[in-house]
Amino acid sequence: MNGNRSRSPISFTRAFKRVFSVPPSEFDLAAWWHKRNDRGDAFKVSSYFLRPAPPLDPEFKVDVVERPAVRLAVSRAWGGYLHPERLVGAYNRLRNWADKAGIEAHGGKISGASRDDPDLTPLSRCRYDFLIELPDGLVPPTHFSIAERKAGLWAIAPVAGGLDVVDRAWSMLFKSWLPASGLDLRDEPAEEVYLKLPEDIGWTEFDLLCCVPVAHPQN
């Protein structure tokens, strides 16, 4: 009963109005963009999301797998779209601590997750988290937070290349593969799992897994 109510049109309208101050029927996209102080930079970022869905490439490989629950140490960067050096700083803080604590960082132990939609959130307030799996019983320093990745089903696509290749993979996964799969999203942030770390290949090339949380199919 509560689940059905949370998905009702009335609930959606209320949530929409909380964010945009008007109901969906009165929303003016052009006016929304015009009143953003960071609209120039935001449009550059959001152009990734506003492009039409790419055709589904039959060679685009996606595995749907169960991932176990794990505890994570979190190093957060604010405003990384405007200040990429903050992303590098947040990563380096986590990486340096992991070395001192003897935590393995290679082989997909570090991931990243964008916490905000730049279409809705000012770029200066957009958060990006670097995450590393914590061994049992280990507590990170207080300048990191602790999170839990819950056990669940994930759609995972490997991708290697520059930022444009990664962007296309995310677009393919969300806009083309996911609708065709018939699967629903779960309320968890998507993740980029780093198979190769920046200190190995730099910050302009990537070898990672694009991971999207999905719900188990309803029988």
Side-chain angles (χ1 to χ4, degrees):
M1 190 76 175
N2 290 336
N4 292 336
R5 188 182 300 119
S6 68
R7 298 177 185 176
S8 73
I10 293 175
S11 296
F12 170 77
T13 299
R14 287 174 179 165
F16 191 97
K17 192 171 181 179
R18 280 198 301 272
V19 174
F20 294 104
S21 302
V22 295
S25 60
E26 298 177 19
F27 180 68
D28 185 329
L29 181 61
W32 168 259
W33 278 99
H34 180 72
K35 67 182 182 180
R36 285 188 65 153
N37 294 329
D38 63 349
R39 59 184 174 273
D41 289 319
F43 190 77
K44 292 176 185 176
V45 173
S46 295
S47 64
Y48 289 118
F49 305 100
L50 297 175
R51 294 194 205 111
L56 185 56
D57 186 344
E59 300 297 318
F60 186 65
K61 179 177 173 55
V62 180
D63 291 320
V64 179
V65 301
E66 191 83 24
R67 297 172 80 192
V70 294
R71 290 169 63 248
L72 303 161
V74 182
S75 180
R76 175 163 292 175
W78 293 83
Y81 288 116
L82 295 174
H83 305 283
E85 70 276 6
R86 295 181 183 178
L87 296 172
V88 177
Y91 172 81
N92 285 337
R93 287 192 296 274
L94 189 68
R95 188 70 180 85
N96 292 338
W97 170 72
D99 275 349
K100 292 177 182 177
I103 302 174
E104 177 57 56
H106 289 82
K109 298 297 185 182
I110 289 183
S111 59
S114 180
R115 297 291 179 175
D116 301 290
D117 183 347
D119 283 356
L120 306 179
T121 305
L123 297 188
S124 62
R125 302 299 297 167
C126 285
R127 301 163 295 171
Y128 189 89
D129 290 344
F130 288 100
L131 318 165
I132 191 166
E133 298 181 15
L134 284 171
D136 290 342
L138 182 62
V139 178
T142 55
H143 55 275
F144 300 126
S145 57
I146 299 176
E148 181 184 5
R149 180 194 298 134
K150 297 177 182 178
L153 205 62
W154 293 74
I156 298 178
V159 56
L163 186 59
D164 58 330
V165 178
V166 176
D167 167 55
R168 181 170 176 78
W170 279 120
S171 293
M172 185 83 67
L173 192 54
F174 271 113
K175 298 178 182 178
S176 304
W177 181 87
L178 187 62
S181 74
L183 296 172
D184 292 327
L185 287 170
R186 282 190 294 112
D187 187 17
E188 298 279 348
E191 292 185 14
E192 298 171 327
V193 175
Y194 296 95
L195 300 178
K196 293 185 179 177
L197 298 176
E199 60 265 32
D200 299 325
I201 60 175
W203 287 92
T204 58
E205 293 292 317
F206 303 90
D207 186 349
L208 51 78
L209 303 175
C210 294
C211 303
V212 173
V214 294
H216 283 276
Q218 298 294 321
N219 295 326

